[in-house]
Amino acid sequence: MEPMGTITQYFPFIDEETKEILENIMTESSDYYDFVHKLGELVLKDDPPTMVVYFAIHHCILALEYPLIDMIREKYGEEHLILCPNLFITSAFQGTYEDVKKVHELADAVLATEPEDWIALEMNFMKFEADMINYPTTIYKESTMDRIHELIDSNPDFGFYEIILNDYQSHRALTDGDTEERFLCTERGIQIAEKYDDRLRMAHLLIWKANIIMNQDMKQSRELLEEAYRIVDSSLGLPAFYADILYNLSMLDAIRGEYDIAIKRGLQAVNLRERSGLETGNASYFLALYYNIIGDAESGLEWGCMAETQLQSRPYLINRAVLNQIWSLILLKRITEAQALIDTIQESIMKSGDEKQLAWLHYVTGALELEQGEFPQALGSIEQALRIIEKQGSAYLMELFFLHQLARAEVYSSHPGEEVSPSLAILEDKALSENLPGILGQVLLLKADIALQNNDEVLLREIIPQIRSLSEKENLQFLKPQFDALMRKL
């Protein structure tokens, strides 16, 4: 492989022996993934200098190669103080929350030895990252941030650390709900990553930016993911990054209502992450959502339970997995179980301040009310869910979904001859103007149900060929069971 900043940016201030070893392995490697594994194999087989082991752990973390880190931990344990903060931050990532405190203690122990400035920077970033794992439950210390800025400003060779700083600040902005700050930090990070040829963080931040803008500009979001793919494919070869690209592409597919391909990509993302020893919480959560949307509630429930298990390392997200399970149970008409789960999580959601969880709580409450024939209450609950998501402006997939469910509630609670669903008209306009074929298919199915309610054979004869043509042209296989059910009613 050719030299890349992700590796060489440390060369100005590390010792010559460590630099030579890293350079030799880089020259022998086919890509960054191969470099990480060759470096890992070296420290497992031989007894190289401590800083070589340090960089083996460092690059394993960047590549998300946790099984390899576990083997390095098994060999070296806590033999060298300088290795320990990295090892404990890894276990904290994997859900061992008591290790967050150990990261602080061990980083401070390293700092107490008055190390070189670059190591001091590494340790302060370690402390900041540990705080971010539980943010906002754990608030980062301003003194840590001040020291990071002070050290970066002290040496022009430390400029690449601005990439890391902006990446962390972007994640903090996500938790704070500050979409504009999240975007600005990501943009700055991309510019600095390009300057320093940090291809790993460049790909990561391009994926992150694609996720940020997918609600406003699906075309550019897809282009950013394609750009990230080119970097990963040509220089990095990291399975975890391929998985992230697939996961984000699946969300773009779902926004267009192309749930079949969204599920396929989601399953591929889960497979890649499992092979890398990584948790699959987010991908499992969205797979549960997609399966529920297409009416496969058994699969939805299975993936919802999988998401709950996989999100144990991020407990603030577990309620989202449970909310998907509730919806699956409602679709399966297991009402008592659904109500019991709502009762279990309702208080924690109300106290969490998480608007997306609150929106989903209103939705599943509405879905339950709809199932029980409480139509006015159901309409009110689902409309509340929609309004919360619209106000946030950062989850277009959810907005389209809640709008579709509100339209369904309006259609099924109406009487023949009534003006049926203003929400359906809004959804149809979005589907046509924004080229959302799967959403249009859902609209046409609801219009067919209205025609059935009104015994409008003329409208049915018009709609049925449209559904059939759209389904075949766009390969929307998920429409088939609902279309077949419609045809059986004729």
Side-chain angles (χ1 to χ4, degrees):
M1 65 179 286
E2 62 181 18
M4 69 169 69
T6 309
I7 301 166
T8 62
Q9 59 202 4
Y10 288 92
F11 285 4
F13 38 83
I14 63 175
D15 65 272
E16 284 301 317
E17 185 179 7
T18 299
K19 178 182 173 182
E20 184 179 352
I21 291 171
L22 295 178
E23 280 185 319
N24 289 340
I25 294 175
M26 186 166 55
T27 302
E28 296 166 2
S29 301
S30 57
D31 56 24
Y32 183 73
Y33 183 65
D34 189 34
F35 167 83
V36 170
H37 277 267
K38 279 186 166 63
L39 183 55
E41 289 165 9
L42 172 73
V43 303
L44 289 171
K45 183 179 67 174
D46 300 332
D47 290 304
T50 300
M51 292 315 299
V52 175
V53 183
Y54 179 90
F55 279 106
I57 299 167
H58 167 85
H59 287 293
C60 282
I61 291 174
L62 292 184
L64 302 177
E65 285 295 306
Y66 294 141
L68 189 49
I69 296 172
D70 290 340
M71 287 188 280
I72 295 172
R73 179 189 287 109
E74 188 175 338
K75 177 176 178 179
Y76 291 93
E78 299 178 26
E79 182 180 336
H80 304 288
L81 177 61
I82 189 68
L83 306 179
C84 294
N86 263 328
L87 290 172
F88 279 103
I89 197 74
T90 305
S91 55
F93 284 147
Q94 293 171 291
T96 310
Y97 281 109
E98 56 269 25
D99 285 353
V100 170
K101 184 179 179 182
K102 291 180 183 176
V103 173
H104 270 274
E105 293 171 351
L106 292 163
D108 283 335
V110 174
L111 290 168
T113 68
E114 299 185 359
E116 297 174 66
D117 283 352
W118 76 270
I119 294 176
L121 252 176
E122 294 275 308
M123 294 303 111
N124 277 285
F125 266 116
M126 210 69 63
K127 290 163 66 176
F128 180 63
E129 192 166 6
D131 289 337
M132 288 303 299
I133 290 173
N134 282 330
Y135 181 80
T137 304
T138 302
I139 304 298
Y140 67 95
K141 292 182 179 179
E142 288 290 347
S143 59
T144 302
M145 183 60 70
D146 291 343
R147 184 60 177 148
I148 286 171
H149 282 293
E150 180 186 330
L151 285 164
I152 289 174
D153 292 342
S154 72
N155 186 336
D157 286 334
F158 293 160
F160 71 91
Y161 279 105
E162 292 277 2
I163 313 168
I164 306 168
L165 182 59
N166 278 283
D167 185 20
Y168 289 171
Q169 289 175 325
S170 178
H171 281 76
R172 183 181 66 193
L174 170 64
T175 307
D176 289 340
D178 189 340
T179 303
E180 183 178 357
E181 178 67 10
R182 182 185 171 204
F183 179 83
L184 291 173
C185 290
T186 304
E187 276 284 85
R188 285 196 298 268
I190 289 171
Q191 291 167 13
I192 303 166
E194 186 171 17
K195 176 182 175 182
Y196 287 93
D197 189 35
D198 191 335
R199 283 174 235 174
L200 181 138
R201 291 192 176 90
M202 183 75 172
H204 161 70
L205 289 166
L206 286 169
I207 296 167
W208 193 237
K209 182 180 176 182
N211 183 274
I212 296 169
I213 69 166
M214 69 170 51
N215 300 300
Q216 293 79 37
D217 192 334
M218 286 189 288
K219 182 175 182 292
Q220 189 188 0
S221 180
R222 195 174 293 273
E223 288 170 355
L224 288 166
L225 292 171
E226 289 169 355
E227 185 179 352
Y229 177 84
R230 285 192 290 272
I231 295 171
V232 174
D233 206 46
S234 64
S235 302
L236 302 177
L238 296 173
F241 277 49
Y242 284 119
D244 280 351
I245 291 168
L246 284 165
Y247 161 67
N248 281 278
L249 283 171
S250 79
M251 286 193 282
L252 285 172
D253 297 326
I255 288 172
R256 299 188 76 234
E258 296 176 318
Y259 300 113
D260 301 299
I261 186 64
I263 288 170
K264 181 179 178 181
R265 291 198 214 266
L267 291 170
Q268 289 172 332
V270 166
N271 181 259
L272 281 169
R273 289 187 68 84
E274 284 180 339
R275 282 163 48 194
S276 298
L278 299 170
E279 58 94 351
T280 63
N282 280 340
S284 298
Y285 165 79
F286 277 99
L287 278 167
L289 173 65
Y290 303 153
Y291 276 117
N292 281 340
I293 287 174
I294 68 173
D296 184 352
E298 291 282 1
S299 296
L301 183 58
E302 182 180 344
W303 282 103
C305 293
M306 171 72 81
E308 182 181 5
T309 301
Q310 292 290 305
L311 289 170
Q312 294 300 315
S313 63
R314 289 179 287 166
Y316 59 94
L317 293 177
I318 286 176
N319 279 342
R320 294 190 191 180
V322 176
L323 286 160
N324 250 330
Q325 294 171 34
I326 293 168
W327 183 25
S328 300
L329 291 168
I330 294 168
L331 292 172
L332 293 167
K333 302 189 185 303
R334 292 160 60 177
I335 304 305
T336 303
E337 294 170 74
Q339 183 63 65
L341 276 184
I342 291 176
D343 294 341
T344 300
I345 66 170
Q346 188 166 11
E347 184 177 354
S348 67
I349 290 175
M350 299 299 286
K351 290 179 177 178
S352 71
D354 187 321
E355 291 289 299
K356 288 180 182 176
Q357 288 189 26
L358 182 60
W360 270 99
L361 178 62
H362 285 304
Y363 168 68
V364 296
T365 301
L368 188 61
E369 290 163 343
L370 192 64
E371 180 66 30
Q372 294 172 328
E374 299 170 356
F375 297 120
Q377 297 93 323
L379 288 168
S381 296
I382 298 171
E383 188 168 3
Q384 272 187 293
L386 176 61
R387 298 301 165 241
I388 290 170
I389 290 298
E390 285 178 335
K391 185 179 177 182
Q392 278 205 322
S394 62
Y396 196 43
L397 172 59
M398 299 300 102
E399 185 178 329
L400 290 168
F401 167 68
F402 288 143
L403 185 60
H404 175 240
Q405 296 304 306
L406 183 59
R408 284 183 72 251
E410 289 169 349
V411 168
Y412 297 143
S413 63
S414 66
H415 299 288
E418 290 182 349
E419 181 181 346
V420 177
S421 174
S423 300
L424 185 59
I426 296 169
L427 190 63
E428 183 172 21
D429 180 65
K430 287 179 180 290
L432 291 169
S433 63
E434 298 172 25
N435 186 26
L436 311 176
I439 306 299
L440 181 59
Q442 292 175 317
V443 167
L444 291 171
L445 283 168
L446 280 176
K447 290 177 77 172
D449 282 339
I450 295 169
L452 276 173
Q453 285 181 6
N454 295 328
N455 295 314
D456 190 337
E457 294 184 11
V458 174
L459 182 58
L460 272 173
R461 283 197 297 271
E462 178 185 327
I463 290 173
I464 286 170
Q466 291 181 43
I467 299 173
R468 184 180 286 116
S469 173
L470 180 70
S471 179
E472 292 173 357
K473 179 184 175 185
E474 303 290 346
N475 195 27
L476 303 173
Q477 295 298 315
F478 79 93
L479 294 176
K480 189 176 186 305
Q482 296 171 71
F483 182 72
D484 290 345
L486 169 66
M487 297 303 291
R488 287 193 295 270
K489 294 175 185 177
L490 300 180

